Amino acid sequence: MNGHGHSHGHGHGHDHDHDHDNDEAEPLAPPLLTQAVLAAQRGLKSDVQRLLDALADGVLLVPLSEHIPGATPGEEVEIEDELTFRPHMLVGDDGTVFAAVFTEAALAQGLSEALGWQTGEDELEFVYLPALVALDLSQADLGDERLRGVAINPGDDSELVLSRDEAASLVQGIALPLVGYVDRLPEGVEGKTEIVLGADPPPPELLAVLEAARAEESAVLGLELETTFNPERDREPHLTLFLTLSEGADRERIAEHLAETAAAHLPPPGYLDVVFRDPPR
């Protein structure tokens, strides 16, 4: 496999041109796999499960940097031996390398033009692979370096970046929440958060630093630390700080201050959620 420079991230624009019989025609809905990738950007386990269901019967396109010997573009080939090909890869500014796959050829246009991707000296071509086989490219090793994961539809609004472990779980048929995408839970999902009964109590030093920080914040009316788990968002139980603040308090600043104070004393998995409770009326 070979690498090509690309500063990886969200926010790449891409324009799509469609031909219609008339200006009033409804645009075609994206294929189901593209829709599933878009939905999985919420990161919720149920959305990832729907993506997995679509991947199981889907096909992903891998951009080729070189022609496959003996293959004719656009024609299906019988594969008798192991298929060997050189895909284009994504290389970040920090040198991290991601595999690149697409749900539709048109979604690669913006990125391929920006990076000058070609197949040999010709127009960019793709190899069409069963989707889970294509995702398994993320597990390849590049000399002494391991790929960091795979980007689905990089450069498009439907871009979904999976870590190596996340891609591996999908290949194994396991849907996990994509914790890097979960930001705010949709209405109704937060209610699935449960307090884990029988969990180990928070470390005493953590409670001590939070109480000291609370004494500095007059707006904090109540502070409670619990181990919680939400199956839609979490991979394992973790601590949640429940805060009750006075009316008009600067929620964001106080939450950030308390989270920073707690950071050095958090037990595994090493992160803290902050949930606000309404003050008593």
Side-chain angles (χ1 to χ4, degrees):
M1 294 183 181
N2 62 343
H4 294 257
H6 175 47
S7 179
H8 189 68
H10 295 276
H12 300 282
H14 183 49
D15 295 324
H16 302 274
D17 293 321
H18 300 278
D19 292 323
H20 301 290
D21 293 332
N22 58 69
D23 291 338
E24 296 180 1
E26 288 291 327
L28 293 174
L32 289 178
L33 184 51
T34 304
Q35 293 181 41
V37 172
L38 271 164
Q41 290 177 335
R42 296 199 305 177
L44 302 180
K45 183 178 180 179
S46 55
D47 293 319
V48 178
Q49 181 61 57
R50 283 190 282 273
L51 172 61
L52 179 57
D53 295 341
L55 289 168
D57 300 317
V59 171
L60 287 171
L61 288 62
V62 180
L64 294 171
S65 66
E66 296 180 8
H67 295 285
I68 299 177
T72 303
E75 289 187 8
E76 189 172 336
V77 293
E78 290 291 332
I79 302 173
E80 297 178 357
D81 301 314
E82 184 176 330
L83 179 65
T84 301
F85 58 89
R86 286 186 176 274
H88 285 290
M89 309 293 281
L90 301 172
V91 183
D93 291 338
D94 57 357
T96 55
V97 184
F98 284 78
V101 298
F102 296 88
T103 56
E104 307 167 58
L107 301 186
Q109 183 179 344
L111 184 65
S112 63
E113 289 177 354
L115 298 181
W117 277 0
Q118 291 180 290
T119 301
E121 299 298 320
D122 302 316
E123 189 175 333
L124 183 65
E125 297 170 7
F126 302 86
V127 59
Y128 289 60
L129 296 177
L132 294 176
V133 173
L135 286 190
D136 204 32
L137 292 174
S138 63
Q139 307 306 302
D141 293 330
L142 302 176
D144 295 333
E145 184 176 0
R146 307 169 79 197
L147 265 69
R148 291 288 297 275
V150 58
I152 305 177
N153 297 339
D156 183 71
D157 289 342
S158 60
E159 176 180 282
L160 185 73
V161 182
L162 302 173
S163 70
R164 186 182 177 102
D165 291 344
E166 289 166 345
S169 76
L170 287 172
V171 171
Q172 294 162 13
I174 301 168
L176 296 174
L178 304 180
V179 294
Y181 281 91
V182 179
D183 183 10
R184 295 186 177 181
L185 291 177
E187 188 175 345
V189 177
E190 187 66 72
K192 295 183 180 180
T193 298
E194 300 174 354
I195 293 176
V196 180
L197 301 177
D200 292 337
E205 60 271 21
L206 173 59
L207 294 172
V209 297
L210 283 175
E211 282 299 332
R214 174 187 182 177
E216 301 171 5
E217 299 281 1
S218 60
V220 178
L221 303 179
L223 180 153
E224 191 176 351
L225 203 56
E226 298 280 6
T227 298
T228 65
F229 180 73
N230 186 312
E232 275 287 86
R233 176 193 58 197
D234 303 325
R235 296 185 187 176
E236 55 191 323
H238 64 282
L239 288 174
T240 293
L241 181 63
F242 292 94
L243 282 179
T244 305
L245 304 180
S246 59
E247 194 110 5
D250 187 341
R251 286 187 168 193
E252 186 173 342
R253 183 194 62 77
I254 294 173
E256 190 173 316
H257 175 216
L258 293 176
E260 287 177 355
T261 300
H265 306 282
L266 292 173
Y271 67 92
L272 178 77
D273 278 344
V274 176
V275 174
F276 295 100
R277 288 175 169 163
D278 292 330
R281 297 288 180 182

